[in-house]
Amino acid sequence: MKLSYKIAKRFLKSNKNQTVLIILGISVGIAVQLFISLLITGLQESLINKTIGNNSQISITSFTQDYINKEEININNLYNLDDKIEDITYYLDINSLANISDDNFNLIIRGIDDSYDSIYNLNKHITSGKIKRGNYIILSENYKNKYNLKINDAIKILANDQSTFELKISGFYKYGVKALDDTLSFMNLNDAQNLFDKKNKISSIQIGISNKNIFQADEISKNIDNYLSNNYEIDNWKENNEDLLSGLNGQSISSIIIQIFVVVSVVLGISSVLAISVMQKAKQIGILKAMGIKNKKAASIFLIQGIILGTLGAIIGIILGIILLLLFTTFATNPDNTPIVEITITYISIITAFLVAIISSILASLIPALKSCKLNPIDIIRNN
Amino acid sequence: MKNILEIRKVNKFYGDQIKNQVLFDINLLIEEGSFNAIIGASGSGKSTLLNIIGSLDVPTSGEILIGGRIESHMTSDRLAEIRNEVLGFIFQFHYLLPEFTALENVLIPYQIKHGKITKEAKQRALELLKEVGLEKVENNLASNLSGGEQQRVAIARALINNPKIILADEPTGNLDSKTTNIIYDILRNINKKYNTTFLIITHDENIAKKADRIIEIKDGKIFNDTKKD
Ligand SMILES: Nc1ncnc2c1ncn2[C@@H]1O[C@H](COP(=O)(O)OP(=O)(O)OP(=O)(O)O)[C@@H](O)[C@H]1O
Ligand SMILES: [Mg+2]
């Protein structure tokens, strides 16, 4: 092994230009492979995040009624149903008509408790004030600006059942999503249940799944369905986003195809260089065989050359790929200087790139290695 | 005297369609420790015979016995071991590895056998290089040596594993007469010192005359076989 390694190294050194070129070739291939795989992963993560971030992955509503009686469902049991379930919250939505400065608009008053934040991150989006016990409400900044509202201002509410209430503003929030900001307001769950005479009632239960298991939402949702009676409707994000999912799927497949082609061209590149090298070094192999080197050892010279090329190519390629990704996240930015695609460089992706380089260079050196096995020393000795 | 090498009814044909017979029923017994010259006209089959003896080529029929064992019964790995440990080759065109230095070239058969180079092995290689008069160029790349120097490195390389038999194909073919004599003296010295058997193809009458035995090949047959006492 030591001799084969020594000879392999010498052979590579004796053809410096060729060696440098092929290492560059492998590096570029591996850099592109790493870049594409991380870019697509980042792209998909940010797409999924935009679609279902600040949102739950599974929701439970009543099939037959507007409200769920909270006593019918044991939240703790639900929680223990599957350890991929990370957060559970529930809320009461009251559809109402709000009246401010003689203007009427539809407003959903959502009664929430502390658990709401674990999925919807409301506190992070509260811009002033806070949720207060009693007949207080948090309204979006949209209305604050539109009607010039302040904390402690009062608004009139006309509920579905025609009863009217007066609520005081205890703060403002901004999710930055128009559909939410235009319709939602928040108050304490207990206070909402009391105020609107919906004791123990909730509109829905929302379930958050840990990030890495997000694609198992449909299975978990089936488990919940089996656990609950038929009176409940269970929805999961995958059902509601089939277009997005098939888009992501297509993207993954095309990314993998590109990566495969890059790797194939790397393999062909190494293979052709080593095949040329076998011919260039035929005389040396013949001499070594006349000196008594065994076929397997002669073949290992070319395998080792492949591994050396692959290792150096992988190291340079991974460095190159990381530089490429850093440049991309620094220069391809939104107007507010955040990167267009948030990319995280993972150990797995680097190890994968490394293995791809090593395995493809071993594959590439198989044919040249076999060729060197077949070399007959007499052909070299005789033909000078 | 014990025979170290036996050649039994060796025939060699070349060509697939038109068969061209190069060796005809060659029989030879070579004594251990003897110094043999093989002579003959160009194209008579000398190199073919030597390559067959060295297991680099295969006879069309007949057998080669080294130390009483039949070559054609051995695996290719076993033959490689024999080439490495029992035989030493010196070719007409020296055939060094150009990527390695003189010293490294001498050590290659040793490394094939043992894997790593010991201090003693390196010392021995240096001594051999000194014996062939090359102590000054031991660290030069083989490709930077003159033809005569390369030939002498090849001789040192053939000796590194203390082979029992040395097969040399015109080892002094392209050297001047002074160097030829020096190299001949070296070979003869080794022959005496280590009882190494030599089979040397040569066109040089002076060398042939100094051998223990002259085997003359003509048109693929042994034409003359003279032993001195
Ligand atoms: N691979 C081959 N295919 C066909 N014929 C061959 C082959 N190798 C050798 N020959 C023929 O065999 C004959 C003997 O060749 P060989 O090399 O043994 O001669 P030689 O005695 O060593 O000659 P020289 O003194 O010129 O080296 C020659 O006629 C040569 O042309
Ligand atoms: Mg010849």
Side-chain angles (χ1 to χ4, degrees):
Chain A
M1 209 56 191
K2 233 177 148 185
L3 179 65
S4 307
Y5 176 69
K6 191 170 159 188
I7 297 171
K9 237 171 59 184
R10 266 321 145 80
F11 279 5
L12 289 175
K13 260 194 193 161
S14 72
N15 266 331
K16 264 204 195 96
N17 293 342
Q18 196 174 293
T19 305
V20 167
L21 271 178
I22 189 64
I23 289 176
L24 272 182
I26 299 169
S27 309
V28 171
I30 293 303
V32 170
Q33 189 265 328
L34 184 66
F35 181 73
I36 290 178
S37 83
L38 284 177
L39 180 69
I40 297 296
T41 312
L43 208 63
Q44 302 200 332
E45 265 166 20
S46 82
L47 257 174
I48 292 172
N49 225 340
K50 272 179 196 150
T51 317
I52 57 168
N54 287 335
N55 218 331
S56 72
Q57 282 83 51
I58 298 173
S59 69
I60 303 171
T61 49
S62 170
F63 216 21
T64 47
Q65 285 160 306
D66 289 341
Y67 300 104
I68 299 172
N69 202 335
K70 200 184 150 248
E71 283 158 342
E72 282 171 16
I73 298 181
N74 184 323
I75 299 292
N76 259 335
N77 286 352
L78 210 55
Y79 203 83
N80 292 330
L81 212 55
D82 197 318
D83 52 11
K84 292 175 204 96
I85 295 176
E86 214 168 43
D87 305 297
I88 298 183
T89 187
Y90 36 82
Y91 52 73
L92 171 69
D93 274 355
I94 302 290
N95 291 316
S96 72
L97 205 62
N99 177 289
I100 304 176
S101 332
D102 294 332
D103 242 3
N104 284 325
F105 55 90
N106 285 315
L107 189 67
I108 295 172
I109 297 169
R110 181 166 287 182
I112 60 172
D113 67 8
D114 288 343
S115 66
Y116 192 77
D117 222 50
S118 64
I119 295 179
Y120 296 95
N121 293 316
L122 177 61
N123 280 329
K124 225 173 78 189
H125 294 96
I126 290 179
T127 50
S128 59
K130 61 174 190 219
I131 297 202
K132 249 172 143 176
R133 291 303 304 258
N135 292 345
Y136 284 100
I137 192 172
I138 290 196
L139 217 53
S140 94
E141 292 242 330
N142 288 11
Y143 294 112
K144 174 188 172 193
N145 298 335
K146 192 169 172 189
Y147 300 110
N148 217 356
L149 297 170
K150 298 185 302 293
I151 289 178
N152 283 330
D153 282 354
I155 63 172
K156 276 197 211 99
I157 295 292
L158 180 67
N160 260 355
D161 57 4
Q162 303 304 314
S163 46
T164 56
F165 306 91
E166 198 173 88
L167 294 171
K168 268 190 167 174
I169 296 171
S170 70
F172 297 97
Y173 78 89
K174 182 185 170 113
Y175 271 117
V177 180
K178 196 165 156 33
L180 295 181
D181 291 2
D182 277 356
T183 52
L184 274 184
S185 64
F186 300 96
M187 68 182 291
N188 177 276
L189 177 62
N190 273 328
D191 296 335
Q193 284 170 336
N194 289 334
L195 186 66
F196 298 104
D197 198 19
K198 297 277 186 289
K199 241 200 157 4
N200 276 326
K201 296 259 161 66
I202 50 176
S203 306
S204 74
I205 298 173
Q206 302 291 343
I207 296 172
I209 300 169
S210 50
N211 261 339
K212 60 173 194 288
N213 296 313
I214 209 159
F215 284 97
Q216 267 125 283
D218 42 358
E219 288 162 39
I220 300 167
S221 136
K222 227 174 255 160
N223 284 346
I224 296 171
D225 204 8
N226 289 337
Y227 168 71
L228 293 177
S229 72
N230 286 340
N231 293 337
Y232 299 97
E233 184 174 345
I234 294 121
D235 256 347
N236 73 74
W237 74 275
K238 284 174 86 173
E239 265 172 56
N240 301 334
N241 292 285
E242 272 169 5
D243 285 350
L244 172 75
L245 284 172
S246 73
L248 292 181
N249 221 346
Q251 209 177 37
S252 295
I253 290 169
S254 53
S255 139
I256 285 170
I257 287 174
I258 294 172
Q259 289 178 55
I260 287 175
F261 273 110
V262 170
V263 170
V264 165
S265 64
V266 168
V267 170
L268 290 179
I270 308 173
S271 198
S272 66
V273 167
L274 287 179
I276 293 168
S277 155
V278 172
M279 299 210 281
Q280 286 169 336
K281 306 295 184 193
K283 189 175 145 194
Q284 284 86 326
I285 298 297
I287 298 167
L288 285 164
K289 284 193 176 180
M291 303 282 100
I293 205 170
K294 289 176 187 167
N295 282 335
K296 262 186 243 150
K297 246 192 189 163
S300 75
I301 293 172
F302 292 91
L303 282 181
I304 293 171
Q305 285 192 65
I307 292 171
I308 294 175
L309 291 173
T311 310
L312 291 177
I315 292 169
I316 300 173
I318 286 167
I319 293 172
L320 221 66
I322 290 173
I323 292 174
L324 216 61
L325 286 164
L326 291 180
L327 288 178
F328 185 81
T329 42
T330 343
F331 291 110
T333 51
N334 294 317
D336 64 351
N337 272 337
T338 56
I340 291 177
V341 183
E342 197 74 61
I343 295 175
T344 27
I345 297 166
T346 58
Y347 283 115
I348 288 285
S349 66
I350 288 177
I351 291 167
T352 307
F354 204 87
L355 288 182
V356 163
I358 300 292
I359 291 170
S360 50
S361 34
I362 290 176
L363 280 182
S365 49
L366 279 182
I367 291 170
L370 284 178
K371 243 183 174 171
S372 78
C373 266
K374 291 203 189 104
L375 252 167
N376 201 342
I378 189 67
D379 298 327
I380 281 89
I381 306 300
R382 217 191 268 126
N383 293 333
N384 187 37
Chain B
M1 266 277 184
K2 207 175 111 196
N3 291 321
I4 191 163
L5 197 66
E6 188 175 345
I7 293 134
R8 278 188 196 157
K9 296 188 88 176
V10 162
N11 286 283
K12 179 69 180 176
F13 290 79
Y14 279 120
D16 292 328
Q17 274 103 29
I18 305 156
K19 296 253 187 268
N20 172 23
Q21 189 161 10
V22 178
L23 295 176
F24 296 82
D25 268 334
I26 302 277
N27 288 296
L28 269 178
L29 287 170
I30 304 291
E31 282 177 10
E32 187 167 6
S34 61
F35 198 92
N36 308 276
I38 300 173
I39 59 169
S42 178
S44 56
K46 305 183 294 295
S47 296
T48 306
L49 179 63
L50 203 73
N51 289 333
I52 288 175
I53 292 171
S55 84
L56 295 175
D57 208 347
V58 282
T60 313
S61 68
E63 276 151 5
I64 308 290
L65 285 82
I66 288 185
R69 294 181 177 275
I70 299 176
E71 268 187 11
S72 60
H73 291 179
M74 301 179 201
T75 62
S76 68
D77 275 359
R78 179 72 195 124
L79 284 176
E81 271 167 28
I82 292 211
R83 285 202 296 273
N84 180 246
E85 296 170 12
V86 182
L87 302 176
F89 289 95
I90 306 169
F91 303 105
Q92 183 172 2
F93 302 102
H94 31 76
Y95 294 124
L96 301 181
L97 300 180
E99 297 87 355
F100 290 79
T101 65
L103 180 62
E104 288 169 331
N105 264 286
V106 173
L107 281 164
I108 286 215
Y110 183 89
Q111 240 189 318
I112 290 174
K113 185 173 172 185
H114 300 280
K116 63 170 182 267
I117 300 166
T118 59
K119 230 191 244 162
E120 293 76 38
K122 194 178 165 188
Q123 202 49 48
R124 186 174 144 67
L126 287 169
E127 268 164 32
L128 286 170
L129 279 172
K130 202 171 164 190
E131 255 188 273
V132 296
L134 286 179
E135 63 266 47
K136 283 194 195 111
V137 294
E138 63 196 39
N139 290 322
N140 287 20
L141 279 184
S143 50
N144 295 337
L145 299 176
S146 75
E149 286 170 336
Q150 291 190 31
Q151 189 65 299
R152 285 183 276 165
V153 173
I155 291 170
R157 180 181 65 182
L159 297 171
I160 187 80
N161 279 349
N162 283 321
K164 285 208 145 47
I165 307 167
I166 288 198
L167 305 172
D169 194 343
E170 299 184 44
T172 53
N174 45 7
L175 300 180
D176 59 74
S177 63
K178 194 179 153 220
T179 320
T180 299
N181 278 326
I182 294 171
I183 286 182
Y184 173 78
D185 287 343
I186 294 167
L187 297 180
R188 196 69 217 211
N189 229 348
I190 287 155
N191 165 248
K192 295 237 167 76
K193 210 158 131 191
Y194 302 106
N195 203 31
T196 312
T197 310
F198 277 79
L199 250 77
I200 300 181
I201 296 176
T202 182
H203 284 132
D204 194 312
E205 277 186 31
N206 285 326
I207 288 188
K209 270 182 203 152
K210 287 179 196 165
D212 301 329
R213 178 180 179 187
I214 301 173
I215 301 159
E216 186 180 354
I217 312 266
K218 194 175 172 189
D219 299 330
K221 292 169 193 136
I222 296 178
F223 180 70
N224 211 329
D225 189 348
T226 330
K227 271 185 213 178
K228 275 191 239 165
D229 349 74

